[in-house]
């Protein structure tokens, strides 16, 4: 074990959120480590939900108020992100957020979240489907059964979980093995295989540390929200320019805040507003600042459409037409489920200063915006190579209140408003 220094000392939780699988395992967890009880898996979570503030607590009338809820955050870390185990031990990787796990030698070798599709101008995800479905589960609750683990072995173990939980047995020689989240650059962890005679923490000890670390990260995220309520404004010529942060991050980048900061702003006519995504030392998020018309559909599926696709990633045959029923009954062989991203979702340019962004009949969308330091693997358009913007500048047509939303995170309540005084 080791300690992690924050504003206070907390246990760092030495474990790794993993998804690795090459072949389905015929049996159980293999040879257990010296300190691991027989039949008990180690657990690493992709992201987190604070156990004290999870869905059950929020539904409780005596639960903490909205100011304490974890649905305002995306935890951009594996809990724990360093795990020591013995050869033959089994690790259950439980998805607690919009994450994946992929084993690779470096982050440069990780598959992109978005790739070129066979249809010109269309982009699709590479991370929604697991490389081996035999050891993954769609139910991400702690009690979800995943009976058969996959065995991770070989000199260069590779595996991707898709948007699923996974159960993996590590038949690897002593050494350190890296894994990454395909969706959030900078989100990574390690599995360290140690000699059989080396003493290691038990799964119960690892879990206790994980709970404490998640709670500490939750407190840090709440502090970022509180600090972001004071609006930033500067005078440019005869007008004022306000800055609204589109999300934010804790100092270590482990927690992304899914809020506009501040979420409500009152300005004068001719003032402008810059919607700006801050940078992060690790773990990046994609956002939008969208001013919708009343009938404009919101939500993540505004951008991602489920499709049955029978082609290889670099194939040339046309795709099967869009099939929404694929989410319910699955895709006919040999097609697989993928999510296509509508081209306009990220190609809309940021508006020029002073341009009108919202009227009762006009829809404005910033398109995808990313933190400035996001690697091109995630920040660049797969077709053009052009970097997505980190900010969008807006002027307003007159007095009134203009509501907006992040189209990537509407279910987290990532909304805001600008009121222009008359």
């Amino acid at each position: 074990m080791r300690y992690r220094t924050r504003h206070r000392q907390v246990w760092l939780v030495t474990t790794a959120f993993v998804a690795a699988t090459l072949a389905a395992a015929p049996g159980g967890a293999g040879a257990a480590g010296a300190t691991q009880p027989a039949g008990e898996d180690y657990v690493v979570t992709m992201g987190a939900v604070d156990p004290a503030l999870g869905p059950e607590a929020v539904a409780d009338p005596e639960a903490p108020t909205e100011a304490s809820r974890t649905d305002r955050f995306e935890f951009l870390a594996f809990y724990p992100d360093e795990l020591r185990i013995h050869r033959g031990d089994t690790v259950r990787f439980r998805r607690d957020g919009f994450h994946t796990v992929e084993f690779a030698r470096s982050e440069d070798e990780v598959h992109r979240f978005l790739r070129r599709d066979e249809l010109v101008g269309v982009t699709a995800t590479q991370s929604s489907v697991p490389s081996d479905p035999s050891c993954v589960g769609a139910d991400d609750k702690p009690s979800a059964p995943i009976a058969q683990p996959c065995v991770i072995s070989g000199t260069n173990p590779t595996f991707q979980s898709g948007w699923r939980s996974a159960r993996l047995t590590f038949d690897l020689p002593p050494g350190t093995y890296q894994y990454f989240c395909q969706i959030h650059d900078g989100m990574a962890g390690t599995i360290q295989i140690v000699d059989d005679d080396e003493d290691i923490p038990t799964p119960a000890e690892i879990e206790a540390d994980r709970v404490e670390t998640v709670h500490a990260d939750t407190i840090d995220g709440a502090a970022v929200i509180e600090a972001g309520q004071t609006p930033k404004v500067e005078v440019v010529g005869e007008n004022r320019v306000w800055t609204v942060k589109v999300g934010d991050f804790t100092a270590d980048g482990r927690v992304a805040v899914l809020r506009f900061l501040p979420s409500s702003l009152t300005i004068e006519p001719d003032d402008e507003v810059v919607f700006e995504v801050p940078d992060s030392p690790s773990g990046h998020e994609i956002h939008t600042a969208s001013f919708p018309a009343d009938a404009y559909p919101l939500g993540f599926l505004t951008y991602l459409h489920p499709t049955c696709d029978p082609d290889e990633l670099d194939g040339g045959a046309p795709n099967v037409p869009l099939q929404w029923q694929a989410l319910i009954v699955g895709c006919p062989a040999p097609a697989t489920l993928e999510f296509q991203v509508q081209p306009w979702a990220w190609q809309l340019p940021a508006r020029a200063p002073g341009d009108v962004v919202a009227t009762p009949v006009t829809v404005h969308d910033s398109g995808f915006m990313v933190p400035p330091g996001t690697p091109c693997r995630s920040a660049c358009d797969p077709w053009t190579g052009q970097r997505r913007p980190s900010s969008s500048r807006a002027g307003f047509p007159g007095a009134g209140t203009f509501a907006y939303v992040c189209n990537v995170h509407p279910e987290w309540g990532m909304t805001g408003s600008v009121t222009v005084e008359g």
Side-chain angles (χ1 to χ4, degrees):
M1 295 286 182
R2 65 187 177 92
Y3 285 97
R4 199 158 76 91
T5 301
R6 314 174 61 82
H7 306 301
R8 59 205 163 280
Q9 283 187 322
V10 296
W11 287 101
L12 165 62
V13 189
T14 49
T15 292
F17 178 89
V18 98
T21 180
L22 291 175
T35 61
Q36 179 180 357
E40 185 176 0
D41 293 352
Y42 286 94
V43 175
V44 176
T45 62
M46 311 175 214
V49 173
D50 190 328
L53 302 172
E56 295 82 4
V58 171
D60 186 335
E62 298 181 359
T65 63
E66 198 277 339
S68 300
R69 288 173 55 183
T70 58
D71 63 358
R72 304 170 302 155
F73 307 129
E74 182 76 270
F75 292 81
L76 304 180
F78 295 99
Y79 291 88
D81 54 10
E82 298 175 359
L83 177 64
R84 289 184 297 138
I85 63 174
H86 294 133
R87 187 167 188 166
D89 283 348
T90 298
V91 180
R92 177 191 175 93
F93 302 93
R94 193 180 75 226
R95 188 175 67 85
D96 278 351
F98 188 50
H99 303 296
T100 73
V101 60
E102 178 177 357
F103 278 89
R105 287 176 296 185
S106 71
E107 192 169 14
D108 291 338
E109 295 184 2
V110 175
H111 290 86
R112 297 176 60 131
F113 173 49
L114 299 177
R115 64 165 176 84
R116 291 189 184 190
D117 190 71
E118 294 86 1
L119 299 179
V120 175
V122 176
T123 299
T125 68
Q126 287 185 278
S127 56
S128 59
V129 179
S131 56
D132 186 337
S134 66
C135 57
V136 302
D139 188 346
D140 303 310
K141 297 187 173 97
S143 60
I146 304 176
Q148 289 282 76
C150 287
V151 175
I152 304 301
S153 61
T155 57
N156 182 27
T158 60
F159 173 82
Q160 70 177 49
S161 66
W163 302 339
R164 299 290 189 273
S165 298
R167 189 169 178 236
L168 309 169
T169 296
F170 290 86
D171 183 16
L172 295 168
T176 300
Y177 302 89
Q178 290 184 300
Y179 59 89
F180 306 87
C181 175
Q182 292 174 307
I183 301 170
H184 300 102
D185 288 289
M187 182 174 167
T190 59
I191 294 289
Q192 184 181 9
I193 311 295
V194 301
D195 293 333
D196 290 344
D197 59 356
E198 184 173 336
D199 189 34
I200 57 177
T202 66
E205 291 171 333
I206 291 294
E207 175 62 12
D209 287 349
R210 184 192 72 82
V211 170
E212 188 172 354
T213 301
V214 169
H215 187 64
D217 283 350
T218 301
I219 293 173
D220 285 354
V224 171
I225 292 180
E226 183 178 357
Q229 299 308 313
T230 302
K232 175 185 174 183
V233 61
E234 60 179 338
V235 178
V236 179
E238 298 181 357
N239 300 327
R240 297 182 299 177
V241 177
W242 301 80
T243 298
V244 171
K245 288 184 179 180
V246 182
D248 206 350
F249 303 90
T250 55
D252 54 13
R254 293 171 62 87
V255 180
V257 171
L258 305 181
R259 288 291 183 269
F260 294 98
L261 300 175
S263 57
S264 60
L265 190 64
T266 299
I267 65 175
E268 297 179 358
D270 298 326
D271 286 357
E272 296 174 348
V273 178
V274 174
F275 296 93
E276 182 176 79
V277 183
D279 204 355
S280 168
S282 64
H284 299 95
E285 272 287 358
I286 292 177
H287 298 292
T288 77
S290 305
F291 290 81
D294 290 341
Y296 189 60
L298 298 177
F300 202 49
L301 290 182
T302 301
Y303 289 160
L304 296 178
H305 286 186
T307 306
C308 288
D309 186 354
D311 306 328
E312 297 294 331
L313 293 182
D314 298 322
N319 289 36
V320 171
L322 191 69
Q323 295 187 8
W324 286 90
Q325 66 268 28
L327 289 175
I328 302 174
V329 300
C331 293
T336 57
L337 173 67
E338 71 176 26
F339 285 81
Q340 291 184 340
V341 184
Q342 302 308 299
W344 49 264
W346 68 92
Q347 291 176 344
L348 283 179
R351 296 284 179 140
D355 197 3
V356 171
V357 299
T359 70
V361 293
T362 300
V363 173
H364 168 72
D365 194 335
S366 67
F368 285 168
M369 296 188 292
V370 298
T374 306
C376 193
R377 185 177 71 87
S378 296
C380 296
D381 184 299
W383 281 91
T384 67
Q386 182 178 358
R387 286 189 65 86
R388 299 183 178 98
S390 298
S391 64
S392 178
R393 189 161 180 155
F396 295 85
T401 296
F402 302 85
Y404 59 93
V405 64
C406 173
N407 266 353
V408 182
H409 303 104
E411 65 271 33
W412 279 268
M414 190 169 176
T415 62
S417 65
V418 175
T419 298
V420 182
E421 294 181 329

